[in-house]
Amino acid sequence: MELRDRILYALYGIGAAMAVLAIWPGPSGLIDFIATPIRAHMPPDARLIAVGVFTPFFVPLKVLMMAGLLLALPWVIYQIWAFVAPGLYSHEKRFALPLIVIGSALAYLGIAFVQFFVLDKMFAFIQGVTPASVNATPDIASYVEAILSLYLAFGLAFQVPVVVMLLVRFDMVSIDKLKSFRGYFIVIAFVIAAVVTPPDVISQIALAVPMCLLYELGIWGARWFARVSRAPDDEQSGVSSVE
């Protein structure tokens, strides 16, 4: 019953966020916003096209649903937290809530990075190599699908510090091991970027480089996180060992 209630509360929050966004800026306003990066590199009178019969209806609805989910993300995460919190020890609550906040902030940061930096550079590169005889007017459905996949990829990739801190906290790996793994992680980051991003150098570098920087941030944060999330028994044994 508790799980059902929390799921319903989360869905109500998403529905309320969609209702607000449907009023302002509206589905058309959302489409115009996410289309800003590509339209900045298209001819002045050029517009995105809709090939499918029902595309002008379903694509704005899909964007509205995704925007509603993003807007209600803190509320959804709070419902998850409220469901699992009663089963956690006090020291576990102490580190679970900061992780939720940090993870949400990093997800928003990754999506904002895509919208305001990656897409602009990527489309500038694509339009720059487009032959003069080709009129690049993408389909709105394929465009939305491409940028949503980038939102998801960057939102997940920006969770690297959270993953690193959890690995150290649960003694699955040590900080020294993470430091020695730096070179391998750089290779892994570029491989992941090559797989999940479009086949252009700009977006691949834009994903791989932040992942490497966030890996270093995760190593730095793991020291602090392992200390503040220590269980009371571990704290006492740590004190006694120091004494």
Side-chain angles (χ1 to χ4, degrees), residues 73-231:
L73 185 61
W75 172 253
V76 174
I77 294 178
Y78 170 76
Q79 297 304 321
I80 299 173
W81 163 253
F83 177 72
V84 302
L88 300 177
Y89 293 107
S90 59
H91 69 278
E92 292 175 333
K93 293 180 182 179
R94 194 167 55 190
F95 77 78
L97 188 56
L99 277 185
I100 292 174
V101 174
I102 293 172
S104 301
L106 288 173
Y108 282 129
L109 181 62
I111 293 172
F113 184 65
V114 172
Q115 179 65 28
F116 297 107
F117 178 78
V118 175
L119 293 179
D120 179 71
K121 303 302 180 183
M122 183 177 71
F123 291 127
F125 172 78
I126 293 175
Q127 294 292 334
V129 299
T130 301
S133 59
V134 176
N135 187 14
T137 53
D139 173 41
I140 184 62
S142 61
Y143 173 76
V144 168
E145 183 179 351
I147 64 170
L148 289 182
S149 64
L150 284 175
Y151 288 161
L152 180 61
F154 277 76
L156 292 176
F158 272 54
Q159 304 302 310
V160 169
V162 176
V163 175
V164 171
M165 288 188 289
L166 285 175
L167 290 175
V168 174
R169 172 60 184 82
F170 291 109
D171 296 325
M172 299 179 67
V173 67
S174 65
I175 293 178
D176 291 336
K177 287 290 186 182
L178 290 172
K179 290 181 178 179
S180 63
F181 193 71
R182 279 192 182 107
Y184 298 101
F185 184 82
I186 293 174
V187 176
I188 293 173
F190 276 90
V191 170
I192 293 175
V195 172
V196 303
T197 60
D200 66 282
V201 178
I202 302 299
S203 59
Q204 293 175 9
I205 295 177
L207 179 59
V209 172
M211 285 181 66
C212 296
L213 297 177
L214 290 170
Y215 182 79
E216 296 296 327
L217 179 63
I219 294 176
W220 176 82
R223 297 182 183 273
W224 162 81
F225 187 67
R227 183 176 65 254
V228 300
S229 62
R230 189 178 299 165

